[in-house]
Amino acid sequence: MTLAAATNEHLANISNTLIYSAMAVYTLAFFAYITEWLFGSRSKVGRTAAALTEPKTSKKAAAPAVTVKKAGGTAVLERPKVVVRSAAGSRDVPDGPGAHGGDAQGDLYGRIAVSLTALAFLVEFGGVLARALSVQRAPWGNMYEFNITFSTVAVGVYLTLLALKKNIRWLGLFLITTVLLDLGLAVTVLYTASAQLVPALHSYWLYIHVSTAILCGAVFYVGAVATLLYLFKDSYENKLATGGKPGRFATSFLERLPASASLDKFSYRVNAAVFPLWTFTIIAGAIWAGDAWGRYWGWDPKETWSFITWVAYAGYLHARATAGWKGRKAAYLALLAFGCWLFNYYGVNIFVSGKHSYAGV
């Protein structure tokens, strides 16, 4: 074995060790998030107080009055409300206090969970980097490499939103659960030893096309989780509005989440923000196909499902701007669109043969 080969094998082993270490830290973060939710479930008084007092997060802050000069005097008019189409019919429900439910110990465990998540992210990023150094290319040549990179980027998106002071710590438990499942699948079913790329992938478009696809998938995932929680929270609020009494578990869990209107707005914004990048991803893939295979579009299964995903998300965004297709109907479209993305990610790569069959399993 040459020195270079031995070095690459050593780096691959380091990468595997770091990925398993990241999984261990993610598991600790998972239990910390669970503990935050458990402490929050005991703090009914804290949750009630947080819901009744909205000092800084109130969405209904009074707008300043408008002063108009008239015939030498002044007339004070109330500033008119601006009602956007997406807000029509929404209820005036305050956001919940978060997973900790206003409990100090719960909040402490939540902050510990975020710290562990950040540590695991750094360890996993090191594992992805070591994998890239071991193969001397971008670590996106097979499904194993794509999975470990995807989970890293998804956690990076979550931590970035937290750093931007977005109230999304409630997402942590769902995210880490999915990341652990993703990494477990990667190291057991999808694992592929380090190897060089097939000739068609030797292009700088690999860095452009695949990196944007991974980022889009991570953001689409965040939007899908928010959409799913919106459906549960909307049903909960509807039941309360009609005089119903939800179950104890549903009440304890759902009342701590943001209001359904907030979840709906958040999911719409993240999906709308990343949709142009998904459009660019498809265009970049077509250009790469032209360089690699001499044709820009051939209705290969991966190309077809990428286009279907694009159409589904375009339909969702259009539905949000169309009367009668807001709220739950649009949310179902968003979940359908993410389902298309998931099939394009797993189903096409693993079960369908084509020019994009690089799963390695």
Side-chain angles (χ1 to χ4, degrees):
M1 181 182 294
T2 64
L3 178 60
T7 301
N8 291 341
E9 183 177 353
H10 180 63
L11 287 170
N13 291 332
I14 291 176
S15 173
N16 295 339
T17 301
L18 289 174
I19 293 300
Y20 279 105
S21 299
M23 292 177 67
V25 182
Y26 278 132
T27 302
L28 294 176
F30 170 80
F31 285 115
Y33 282 117
I34 285 287
T35 306
E36 178 189 16
W37 280 94
L38 289 177
F39 272 105
S41 68
R42 306 192 311 173
S43 183
K44 180 66 176 178
V45 175
R47 295 197 306 275
T48 303
L52 294 176
T53 58
E54 310 169 66
K56 293 182 180 180
T57 60
S58 174
K59 296 179 289 184
K60 297 294 183 181
V66 180
T67 302
V68 181
K69 291 184 178 179
K70 183 178 180 181
T74 58
V76 179
L77 306 175
E78 290 187 359
R79 183 179 295 277
K81 288 184 178 181
V82 178
V83 180
V84 295
R85 180 180 295 255
S86 60
S90 61
R91 293 172 293 268
D92 185 13
V93 178
D95 289 339
H100 57 81
D103 183 86
Q105 284 183 298
D107 182 59
L108 173 62
Y109 278 102
R111 287 186 276 116
I112 291 174
V114 172
S115 299
L116 289 171
T117 302
L119 175 60
F121 166 77
L122 294 175
V123 175
E124 187 182 10
F125 178 79
V128 173
L129 181 60
R131 176 77 176 198
L133 293 175
S134 71
V135 293
Q136 299 179 4
R137 56 169 173 77
W140 309 319
N142 51 60
M143 282 293 291
Y144 168 74
E145 295 173 354
F146 198 95
N147 263 42
I148 62 175
T149 305
F150 172 77
S151 59
T152 305
V153 174
V155 175
V157 170
Y158 168 69
L159 293 174
T160 299
L161 291 173
L162 284 178
L164 295 174
K165 307 299 182 182
K166 302 298 181 181
N167 178 27
I168 63 159
R169 202 166 81 187
W170 46 266
L171 181 65
L173 178 60
F174 309 99
L175 172 69
I176 297 307
T177 301
T178 308
V179 166
L180 285 172
L181 292 173
D182 178 79
L183 290 177
L185 182 66
V187 300
T188 55
V189 178
L190 300 177
Y191 181 77
T192 305
S194 301
Q196 292 304 311
L197 297 172
V198 297
L201 294 182
H202 284 288
S203 171
Y204 60 89
W205 284 106
L206 173 69
Y207 296 89
I208 300 172
H209 172 65
V210 183
S211 63
T212 55
I214 292 173
L215 178 58
C216 289
V219 178
F220 282 148
Y221 164 77
V222 171
V225 173
T227 300
L228 188 62
L229 292 177
Y230 156 75
L231 290 173
F232 284 108
K233 188 63 182 279
D234 184 63
S235 296
Y236 171 76
E237 292 176 0
N238 281 334
K239 195 166 188 177
L240 289 178
T242 56
K245 187 176 181 181
R248 183 176 178 182
F249 175 79
T251 300
S252 175
F253 170 71
L254 294 172
E255 71 179 0
R256 286 179 275 164
L257 292 175
S260 61
S262 298
L263 290 170
D264 184 44
K265 184 185 296 183
F266 174 76
S267 61
Y268 169 69
R269 285 179 174 177
V270 296
N271 286 327
V274 80
F275 180 73
L277 188 60
W278 181 248
T279 304
F280 170 78
T281 300
I282 296 176
I283 295 173
I287 296 174
W288 187 8
D291 290 343
W293 302 315
R295 52 90 174 148
Y296 292 102
W297 196 267
W299 296 106
D300 183 76
K302 175 69 71 172
E303 297 168 348
T304 301
W305 277 96
S306 295
F307 179 68
I308 291 173
T309 303
W310 184 90
V311 171
Y313 272 108
Y316 161 70
L317 295 176
H318 178 71
R320 283 296 304 249
T322 303
W325 276 90
K326 301 182 293 294
R328 298 183 69 86
K329 290 182 179 180
Y332 292 138
L333 281 178
L335 292 179
L336 175 64
F338 184 68
C340 293
W341 188 90
L342 277 181
F343 181 78
N344 191 32
Y345 178 25
Y346 286 107
V348 173
N349 282 338
I350 297 175
F351 302 112
V352 181
S353 298
K355 288 183 175 295
H356 292 81
S357 300
Y358 305 127
V361 296

